[in-house]
Amino acid sequence: MTPVSSNAPRGQSSLRTVQVLGGGNAGSSAHVRSLAEGLVARGVRVTVCAPAEADHAYDFRGTGADHVSVPRSSDPAAVGRLRAVCADADLVHAHGLHASFRAALA
């Protein structure tokens, strides 16, 4: 994990986490929304990678997190998009078996 930078604005961490959802079922989506809300409140930059439908239903952006639409697919384009989003993350947290598999591929 990258150490916290002294260049971060006062009270804000330079840490960045990516939360990866598979299909975004109700339990995992609600959990990720709760995590995003708490992490953002603590100054952590959060990106949620989930299908667009999950963001529409759970409003990850409403927590202050970024949302990147990544379909529930293991095709090369989806994995490549996930890889690009995760490239500079300090922590990647995958929620569910399919999300874990895709995050490992990425």
Side-chain angles (χ1 to χ4, degrees):
M1 186 155 85
T2 306
V4 175
S5 168
S6 61
N7 296 333
R10 185 170 173 83
Q12 185 173 8
S13 169
S14 66
L15 295 177
R16 179 171 172 266
T17 182
V18 175
Q19 305 291 316
V20 181
L21 279 167
N25 70 42
S28 60
S29 292
H31 175 64
V32 167
R33 188 180 199 297
S34 176
L35 286 173
E37 193 169 51
L39 289 167
V40 167
R42 288 161 180 81
V44 177
R45 293 177 299 142
V46 178
T47 301
V48 177
C49 291
E53 311 81 62
D55 184 50
H56 294 308
Y58 291 91
D59 189 26
F60 302 118
R61 291 183 188 139
T63 69
D66 292 323
H67 172 257
V68 175
S69 181
V70 178
R72 187 181 193 275
S73 173
S74 297
D75 68 50
V79 172
R81 183 172 179 111
L82 191 56
R83 179 182 298 128
V85 173
C86 294
D88 66 344
D90 296 296
L91 175 78
V92 176
H93 186 175
H95 301 268
L97 184 60
H98 192 258
S100 298
F101 174 72
R102 291 184 311 128
L105 283 175

